[in-house]
Amino acid sequence: MYLLVFTTLMIGVMGIYAQILGLQTSRFAAHQNSVGVAMMQWHTAALSMAASIINTAGPLYTPLQTNGCRLTFAPIPGTTIVPCPSPVYMAGQTPLALVGTAINPGGGTITDNATTPNLINYKTAAGTYTTQCVHLPARCTRTDINGCGAITGAFTSNGCKQLYDTFDYQFYSVLYKDTLTGGNFVVTFVPAAQISGANPPPGFLQLASGNNIGITATDLLRQLAHAGAAAESFGSIDSAKHLATSGFQYTLPSDFSPTILQNANGAVGIIGTPDGL
């Protein structure tokens, strides 16, 4: 009899403990913001790159502006959006190449491959070329005049330890011009979750790096809010290629593919303008 009572009490206590633990875990998850912070940092770097492109390589950007050009090295699934042109130091001068060179293989993209921040090519007044790191947060242990660490024709990571995890946290960013307002915009986004047997609804998201992250679109929107993103700057993207934020709706480039946006849970995007930077 005593054993039965004891067992019943223990089962009850364990049930209460499980509920408390589940509630604490839920509250902890609800207040996370790490992915949101990373997305905002990436978006800031994208705006910086976009401003340099517009200010110095306008003639090469102009034919791309309606459909947009990507500031992300990884191709965007289901689209033909090309990399942005490399910015140059002197307005009106010709960049080394539209897509990139051996020194700058990413062209006007935030990374020049899957892991390292890009080096922007600039043409100086003397006609020579120099480089500058894209402005992702980093802690350099050895610096040169560019703030990048040791450079031997290309970026070498041994001189600069990245605080931003470029390997894991890459996002899709597109620079384009709105045909109605005439303003330039950068949209940084995470595609809608790809639902499958292994990823049931509402589905976890996948970044441009190819990494599956254990959060949903709703979780990411919550993280962006916790990270301090302005409510007017982020929201959900629908299959009609509209980004709806708090009180605003933006039309995205025509080449945005419904295959990366269609999902009941939607894609998530941050938008901003490089104009005036």
Side-chain angles (χ1 to χ4, degrees), residues 23-33 219 222-223 226:
L23 182 60
Q24 289 178 331
T25 302
S26 176
R27 287 176 176 172
F28 179 74
H31 287 83
Q32 291 297 296
N33 67 359
D219 295 331
R222 186 183 300 115
Q223 285 206 17
H226 287 315

Side-chain angles (χ1 to χ4, degrees), residues 146-157:
N146 303 311
C148 298
I151 298 178
T152 55
F155 185 91
T156 54
S157 59

Side-chain angles (χ1 to χ4, degrees), residues 7 14 27 42 81 138 221 248:
T7 302
M14 290 175 65
R27 287 176 176 172
W42 180 277
I81 298 176
L221 290 169
F248 296 93

